[in-house]
Amino acid sequence: MLTKQAVRGQIERHLEGGLSREDLSVWAERVLRDEDFEPAYTEQIEAVLSALRDATDPHRFRWEEPDLDRLLDLLED
């Protein structure tokens, strides 16, 4: 089960330079398809993962940095 803390950890890893934006997007796409989410935070996790996935959508030629501060705020307690 994917927790909101795990999602925060991936975003923080990206911010620290340990994970590229493209790799973060690929990870978000994979977990959206394959993982169950922490029940109390399913909506927040889905919203954050969707934003991360769409940040590098090659079909739309959109290569924007998502508002990571806002996304982290969505994952707060």
Side-chain angles (χ1 to χ4, degrees), residues 1 3 6-7 9 15 31 35 40-41 43 48 54 61 72 74:
M1 175 184 332
T3 65
V7 178
L15 290 171
V31 297
E35 296 287 334
Y41 301 101
E43 287 183 30
V48 169
D54 293 346
F61 300 101
L72 287 171
L74 285 174

Side-chain angles (χ1 to χ4, degrees), residues 20-23 25-26 52-66:
S20 72
R21 180 177 50 198
E22 293 80 9
D23 288 342
S25 179
V26 168
L52 294 174
R53 174 198 61 200
D54 293 346
T56 58
D57 184 347
H59 302 290
R60 295 187 189 128
F61 300 101
R62 194 171 100 196
W63 296 87
E64 301 170 5
E65 187 71 31

Side-chain angles (χ1 to χ4, degrees), residues 1-19:
M1 175 184 332
L2 185 70
T3 65
K4 68 178 184 162
Q5 195 58 29
V7 178
R8 284 184 63 85
Q10 289 293 84
I11 293 171
E12 289 167 352
R13 187 171 160 216
H14 166 69
L15 290 171
E16 294 167 355
L19 187 64

Side-chain angles (χ1 to χ4, degrees), residues 29-49:
E29 173 67 27
R30 183 183 56 77
V31 297
L32 269 169
R33 279 193 323 258
D34 299 337
E35 296 287 334
D36 293 323
F37 307 127
E38 186 175 4
Y41 301 101
T42 297
E43 287 183 30
Q44 292 95 326
I45 292 171
E46 286 177 343
V48 169
L49 292 173

